[in-house]
Amino acid sequence: MAGKSLLVAGLGFGTAVGVALGALAIAPNMPSGGAGGDSSLREEFQKKAQNEEVLKAQADSSDSVLDKLAPVVVDGSLAQRPVLVISTGEANEGDVRAIRSLLKSADAEDAGEIKLTDEFYRQEGADKLLSLVTSALPAGAKLDSKKVDAGTHSGQAMAAALLMDPKTTEPLASTKDRANLLQALRDAGYIDYEDGTILPAQAVVYVGGKGFPGYYTDQTVNFLQALDEVGGNTVVAARVEQAAEDRVIGKLREAKSDISTVDSIDRTTSRMAAVMAAKEQLDGGKGAYGAASSADAAAPSLPEDL
């Protein structure tokens, strides 16, 4: 199932290498005859391994050039736009730093970073999370009475506390209400952030890792959809594994969500695409970007003046 969703250039070689390694491990117990036996299998493995090294070298070479070009491409594109980064505990720190650096190159106003801890994704803690966001809900905010799950309600509560009104650009919550919810969530171990760094945002870039199937994905999808329904302008960026049918990006793309998605963020093109997608969202657009077969393109269209 995942293989069908992850038809990414170069990954086929990685899969082939894994298969060859598995076959090679049991080869001594197999009769050698027929098609060349162990020697033929070793030659095939060596060829696949060499192809894997070539593809990695080519990708790394491209990144070395794009690392210098990416800041130029996004330069000034998010000026005076406050952008919040929400990261997960399993997100790669290098991915998060790179995207935040490119947001800075785009002149986005830094609305801070909130990390969702592993506790946020524990099904055993769902009832406690539901109770907490209900009790600390910002004034005027509403929770869905039909979708009563921790992901949906936490997304709605955090959106009300953290985002600006899409029409007026006024904060949806007071400074006091925002602080009350964030502090309650941090004290309970669901999130982490630095004091004095979180400001109301017009756009959110959610940075994940490879993800996990099951409750983790369901919780995340519900959280993101609720967040986006309140404030819009949401971008989800993660590793290519998240484009699988049972992971977050795969499910958002299958649902044709208004959220923009970017896979393969260990590569510079996708990191740049995440920042460009935030600009596209603020301009009223959306898209699915990255290297997976479910992506529409590698990145949004480049600025006309480049």
Side-chain angles (χ1 to χ4, degrees):
M1 178 172 60
K4 181 179 179 181
S5 299
L6 297 174
L7 298 178
V8 184
L11 283 186
F13 286 117
T15 302
V17 169
V19 172
L21 279 170
L24 190 60
I26 64 172
N29 296 321
M30 298 170 59
S32 61
D38 294 350
S39 177
S40 176
L41 189 57
R42 289 193 184 92
E43 289 177 4
E44 181 181 357
F45 164 69
Q46 290 173 352
K47 182 178 180 180
K48 299 297 184 183
Q50 288 171 352
N51 286 337
E52 175 89 354
E53 291 176 1
V54 169
L55 286 169
K56 185 180 185 306
Q58 289 174 332
D60 289 344
S61 178
S62 296
D63 279 353
S64 69
V65 175
L66 287 171
D67 284 342
K68 298 177 181 179
L69 291 177
V72 177
V73 173
V74 302
D75 182 42
S77 59
L78 290 170
Q80 299 182 333
R81 301 284 202 164
V83 179
L84 173 71
V85 172
I86 298 180
S87 62
T88 70
E90 57 105 25
N92 181 280
E93 287 297 327
D95 294 343
V96 178
R97 286 195 302 270
I99 287 176
R100 293 197 70 183
S101 177
L102 283 174
L103 286 170
K104 184 177 180 179
S105 295
D107 294 334
E109 293 186 12
D110 185 3
E113 178 188 350
I114 294 174
K115 178 175 288 187
L116 304 179
T117 68
D118 293 342
E119 186 67 23
F120 181 85
Y121 299 98
R122 287 183 64 250
Q123 190 167 4
E124 294 79 5
D127 289 341
K128 181 181 176 181
L129 179 56
L130 278 167
S131 176
L132 189 154
V133 297
T134 300
S135 63
L137 191 67
K142 295 181 179 180
L143 298 177
D144 197 317
S145 59
K146 295 182 179 179
K147 291 189 66 177
V148 187
D149 63 87
T152 297
H153 279 194
S154 60
Q156 291 170 337
M158 288 182 68
L162 297 167
L163 302 181
M164 295 178 172
D165 186 301
K167 296 181 180 179
T168 67
T169 69
E170 291 294 320
L172 291 173
S174 67
T175 301
K176 181 179 179 180
D177 283 354
R178 180 167 55 257
N180 285 342
L181 177 66
L182 291 177
Q183 289 171 6
L185 288 169
R186 186 172 64 179
D187 290 345
Y190 291 110
I191 67 173
D192 194 20
Y193 62 93
E194 292 185 18
D195 287 326
T197 62
I198 308 301
L199 302 173
Q202 282 186 289
V204 173
V205 178
Y206 176 99
V207 185
K210 297 179 180 179
F212 306 94
Y215 182 79
Y216 185 100
T217 288
D218 295 338
Q219 167 89 331
T220 303
V221 169
N222 290 341
F223 170 78
L224 291 167
Q225 288 179 330
L227 194 76
D228 191 65
E229 285 170 4
V230 174
N233 307 326
T234 307
V235 176
V236 176
R239 292 294 179 101
V240 70
E241 288 84 356
Q242 289 274 34
E245 295 173 1
D246 60 353
R247 305 291 171 95
V248 174
I249 288 178
K251 286 185 175 291
L252 289 173
R253 289 176 178 175
E254 178 64 25
K256 300 189 183 304
S257 169
D258 287 335
I259 297 171
S260 289
T261 56
V262 184
D263 66 70
S264 306
I265 58 165
D266 52 327
R267 292 300 174 187
T268 305
T269 301
S270 290
R271 292 169 175 175
M272 180 179 68
V275 176
M276 295 171 68
K279 163 66 172 170
E280 184 179 51
Q281 279 276 335
L282 287 162
D283 290 341
K286 65 175 184 177
Y289 305 109
S293 61
S294 56
D296 299 327
S301 300
L302 293 172
E304 293 181 358
D305 56 350
L306 288 179

